[in-house]
Amino acid sequence: MLGTAQPERGDVHTAAALTVLNGNPTADRRTQRWRVALHNNRGWALFDAGELTAALQEFEQALRDAERYGTSE
């Protein structure tokens, strides 16, 4: 959530977190579920910057990750 706390470095923090998750595909589902929040937050940052196509891609990835790693809640 450093990306939210430090918006000027948000993309750097988000990229680093996704790199860790991508490098550890055997991490438990609870850990992998962070992908949803990371892509969602990146999507909103892109939306706020007016980069609507890129924002939509992030939201769609968040949805795919939610379907893959999420819970019924």
Side-chain angles (χ1 to χ4, degrees):
M1 301 288 83
L2 284 172
T4 302
Q6 295 179 332
E8 67 282 357
R9 295 187 39 83
D11 197 46
V12 172
H13 293 308
T14 300
L18 288 170
T19 297
V20 170
L21 290 172
N22 290 336
N24 190 9
T26 60
D28 65 18
R29 293 177 68 80
R30 186 175 178 195
T31 302
Q32 291 294 344
R33 223 175 356 254
W34 276 100
R35 294 172 177 278
V36 179
L38 291 166
H39 285 291
N40 180 65
N41 290 350
R42 184 186 273 172
W44 281 113
L46 290 165
F47 179 86
D48 290 343
E51 297 180 41
L52 304 183
T53 301
L56 179 59
Q57 291 171 346
E58 291 296 327
F59 292 135
E60 289 172 339
Q61 184 61 53
L63 175 60
R64 285 190 296 272
D65 288 335
E67 292 171 341
R68 183 172 183 184
Y69 300 110
T71 66
S72 60
E73 298 162 354

